[in-house]
Amino acid sequence: MSTTLSQSQGTVLAANPVVHTDGQTTEAHAPKPLPNQWRGSTWLGWIPSLVVFAMLGALGWYGHHNDWKLPSLNYKEIGDPGAKWCDSHGVAEADCVVCDPTLIEAPPTLKFCLEHGVHGCILHHPELAQTKSSIVPTIEDLQRTARALALMPRPENLSVGGLAGTRIQFASLEAMKKAGVEVELVTRAAITESIQASGEVQYDATKTAQVSPPADGIVREVVANVGDWVRKGDVLAIVDSQDVGRLKSTLLSVLLEERLAKDQLTRFEEIAPSGAIPGRKLLEGESELQQATVAVEQAVRGFGNLGIRVVQERLRDSDLDSMKEYIRSIGMERIGMERIGTVDSDNLIALTAPLDGRIVERTTTLGEVVARGNAMFRVADTRTVWLDLRVPAEQAPLARLGALVRYQPDGNNLSHQGKVTWISTDVDRQTRTVRVRAELANDDGLLRNESFGRGEIVLREEPDSIVVPEESLKWDGTSSVVFVRDARFFEAGRPKFFVTRSVRPGVHQDGMVEILAGVLPGEVVVSKGSDVLRAQLLKSKLGAGCTCGN
């Protein structure tokens, strides 16, 4: 028996069969392939594990020699290596303004402002501003803050337990830069506060009309087509209706009866004084004339029900031929002689536009038999449209009639403006939204019926709001705060520190946040790296205490 090891493949191969003591012969089984980590250069597979163990060992060594404390964000090594260090505040003990307040002027006493909800309200006490020159809030600043606070609830600060006025000190300007702290100026910017909602454009229902024939008939001519702009009274189509013919025949008949009754009553009145006829006959003549007159008025009202005007004076104050000619022309005044000549009928009805607008729908064809009430055209004044917004129920109370609305259709960068005209009193059961309708101008016709987009109801627009970067705003557990740079930060020999200022935030917009109260333009606040100062602030809140002298 013999075996060989193939190092190139990493497996043991059976070269000869195995002979047992009982004389039976079997094939030797080849062992399973060796693991991949033993192939080729086997020591490379241990490198990741060795790196992890090395890092854990280094971390253990650092923790043992530094009492398991994280490196100081103020970078102690930048300062005097021989100075005694205040580990609680990250600066030399001799320079720590928190441990030794006598090194600089004492911090002011801050009172909580019930009107604006901040500690040390800078709107009432502008002397607290960290600016080289004095600054005074404007009347507009006070009015803007009042409007914002009256509009809706804002994030509130607790009146007790806040850390406003706390000073966060750095060992040096280099230490601040090495900690990644950057600053920005408090500025002014235009701020818009609004309700965002999806919207659907619809035709103005008060300026939309369905045009239907007033009587059954046959379409003899179609004058208007989809897309045409029409004026009120313009002819859209001509319908030949037997109902109109019957009405004209009835009117002519009752008019003749009325004339006959009138002539007969006149003769009775002429001979009645001579006693040639009894008085009862005279009364019967008067009754017949009244009945004939009522029949004429009923026939005229029949035309009125079809929207056809009849001038009764022309029926009674003309000779018989003129009366017949006028009856034939009833309802055909707007059609025009050029069209009347093309249709050999006196029973024509002109369907006219009930308002100024555009033909947005046509459902009729030439020669079609139409019934009274069937829509043949739809006319809409597209110069104004409705915007149906779906506002969350909890935001609906903020909407007001007359509020400015801006709308941007899907797939379009153009903005359209209008005003709120109606607010529903119902809440949709499924979506829990409230319908808010606005009316938008659409002179260019770019807004399409039943199209969708995004709308906003403007609640408040402020052209000169006080703003800071969003990353400047932090929460210390009781208040919203920013860190304001000391006004004398760059004076030689002066400690480098920031003052914690409680603020009342408003609208967040485009990476900035409106500050309703707490800072004034011209002050400088921490932007990038504000978490460094917040960490130091919370450390003092936990009660780490001062270690100076220990």
Side-chain angles (χ1 to χ4, degrees):
M1 288 188 303
S2 64
T3 59
T4 59
L5 176 66
S6 174
Q7 295 182 353
S8 62
Q9 296 181 357
T11 58
V12 179
L13 302 178
N16 296 310
V18 178
V19 179
H20 296 274
T21 56
D22 57 2
Q24 296 181 357
T25 303
T26 60
E27 294 294 335
H29 295 284
K32 296 180 180 179
L34 296 175
N36 291 335
Q37 62 266 31
W38 293 102
R39 299 176 184 176
S41 301
T42 59
W43 60 273
L44 293 176
W46 290 95
I47 291 180
S49 299
L50 293 174
V51 172
V52 172
F53 281 114
M55 294 174 63
L56 291 174
L59 181 61
W61 179 88
Y62 177 86
H64 179 73
H65 288 81
N66 291 275
D67 198 21
W68 296 99
K69 293 182 179 180
L70 293 176
S72 171
L73 293 175
N74 286 296
Y75 296 94
K76 179 178 178 179
E77 62 273 11
I78 295 179
D80 183 2
K84 192 174 182 181
W85 204 256
C86 176
D87 290 329
S88 297
H89 304 122
V91 295
E93 282 189 7
D95 300 328
C96 183
V97 298
V98 178
C99 299
D100 187 2
T102 61
L103 293 176
I104 57 173
E105 66 279 0
T109 301
L110 303 180
K111 294 183 179 180
F112 188 77
C113 176
L114 296 177
E115 179 180 355
H116 300 132
V118 294
H119 302 83
C121 182
I122 204 167
L123 294 176
H124 292 157
H125 301 281
E127 66 276 6
L128 298 175
Q130 294 294 331
T131 54
K132 291 186 177 180
S133 58
S134 60
I135 184 170
V136 178
T138 64
I139 297 297
E140 289 75 15
D141 290 331
L142 295 171
Q143 293 175 345
R144 181 186 63 254
T145 300
R147 286 193 297 268
L149 294 177
L151 179 63
M152 67 174 66
R154 305 291 177 178
E156 296 184 358
N157 301 322
L158 297 181
S159 59
V160 295
L163 298 176
T166 302
R167 293 169 173 176
I168 310 297
Q169 187 177 0
F170 284 90
S172 63
L173 183 60
E174 291 76 11
M176 185 188 78
K177 292 180 179 179
K178 197 167 183 179
V181 175
E182 297 180 4
V183 296
E184 287 195 31
L185 196 67
V186 178
T187 59
R188 292 186 182 273
I191 286 292
T192 300
E193 190 166 16
S194 61
I195 301 174
Q196 303 287 331
S198 59
E200 179 183 3
V201 173
Q202 298 176 344
Y203 291 133
D204 186 340
T206 64
K207 299 178 181 179
T208 303
Q210 297 281 4
V211 182
S212 305
D216 300 346
I218 300 174
V219 179
R220 295 301 186 188
E221 185 176 356
V222 180
V223 180
N225 208 343
V226 173
D228 293 345
W229 183 268
V230 295
R231 296 289 183 183
K232 182 178 180 179
D234 288 353
V235 177
L236 306 182
I238 299 174
V239 176
D240 187 354
S241 174
Q242 292 183 356
D243 293 341
V244 175
R246 283 193 291 268
L247 277 175
K248 290 184 177 181
S249 298
T250 300
L251 179 59
L252 178 59
S253 176
V254 296
L255 279 172
L256 293 176
E257 291 179 359
E258 183 188 38
R259 288 198 174 195
L260 179 60
K262 186 175 182 180
D263 292 342
Q264 184 176 356
L265 180 61
T266 301
R267 288 194 300 270
F268 286 166
E269 289 175 344
E270 290 176 352
I271 62 177
S274 63
I277 60 171
R280 179 177 58 84
K281 199 66 174 179
L282 181 62
L283 293 176
E284 290 177 354
E286 292 177 350
S287 177
E288 290 176 359
L289 177 60
Q290 291 177 354
Q291 291 177 4
T293 302
V294 170
V296 171
E297 292 177 352
Q298 288 178 345
V300 171
R301 281 197 295 270
F303 282 100
N305 293 335
L306 299 182
I308 300 175
R309 181 173 177 268
V310 177
V311 181
Q312 296 193 39
E313 291 76 9
R314 295 189 61 181
L315 297 174
R316 295 187 172 93
D317 299 338
S318 59
D319 56 51
L320 183 60
D321 292 336
S322 298
M323 182 183 67
K324 292 180 178 179
E325 186 64 29
Y326 174 67
I327 292 176
R328 290 185 58 193
S329 66
I330 289 176
M332 302 174 66
E333 296 86 353
R334 297 179 179 177
I335 298 177
M337 294 305 300
E338 68 279 2
R339 293 196 178 95
I340 295 176
T342 62
V343 181
D344 187 16
S345 175
D346 295 335
N347 306 330
L348 303 181
I349 303 176
L351 269 69
T352 58
L355 49 81
D356 293 352
R358 194 172 301 280
I359 305 295
V360 296
E361 186 177 358
R362 167 188 162 180
T363 59
T364 189
T365 57
L366 188 64
E368 179 184 9
V369 177
V370 293
R372 179 178 183 179
N374 289 355
M376 296 175 60
F377 297 91
R378 188 182 182 194
V379 182
D381 188 346
T382 58
R383 291 172 296 186
T384 59
V385 294
W386 282 353
L387 175 63
D388 190 5
L389 296 172
R390 300 288 179 160
V391 177
E394 60 273 13
Q395 293 183 318
L398 299 176
R400 294 288 184 271
L401 294 177
L404 176 65
V405 173
R406 295 193 181 98
Y407 173 72
Q408 184 173 328
D410 290 341
N412 194 325
N413 293 328
L414 295 178
S415 179
H416 302 262
Q417 292 189 359
K419 291 188 176 182
V420 174
T421 57
W422 174 73
I423 302 173
S424 175
T425 56
D426 295 328
V427 177
D428 189 277
R429 292 182 179 180
Q430 296 180 344
T431 63
R432 309 308 300 168
T433 57
V434 175
R435 293 178 58 192
V436 176
R437 180 184 299 155
E439 187 175 293
L440 306 180
N442 188 37
D443 293 330
D444 51 13
L446 295 179
L447 295 176
R448 312 291 183 182
N449 183 47
E450 297 184 356
S451 61
F452 296 90
R454 194 70 181 171
E456 63 170 350
I457 303 172
V458 178
L459 304 178
R460 185 171 61 95
E461 282 189 307
E462 305 293 352
D464 292 309
S465 290
I466 301 173
V467 296
V468 300
E470 280 187 331
E471 54 191 348
S472 299
L473 184 66
K474 298 299 175 184
W475 178 256
D476 69 356
T478 60
S479 304
S480 298
V481 298
V482 296
F483 301 100
V484 183
R485 191 178 68 185
D486 175 35
R488 300 164 57 189
F489 190 85
F490 293 103
E491 288 186 7
R494 182 166 178 88
K496 311 301 180 186
F497 66 90
F498 291 80
V499 179
T500 305
R501 183 83 58 76
S502 71
V503 296
R504 197 79 181 271
V507 182
H508 291 252
Q509 178 179 299
D510 300 331
M512 306 296 285
V513 57
E514 177 190 26
I515 301 299
L516 304 177
V519 293
L520 289 177
E523 294 188 288
V524 178
V525 296
V526 176
S527 55
K528 183 178 179 181
S530 56
D531 285 327
V532 173
L533 285 83
R534 179 177 180 272
Q536 182 63 34
L537 181 67
L538 295 180
K539 179 181 177 181
S540 64
K541 182 178 180 180
L542 291 174
C546 178
T547 59
C548 298
N550 297 331

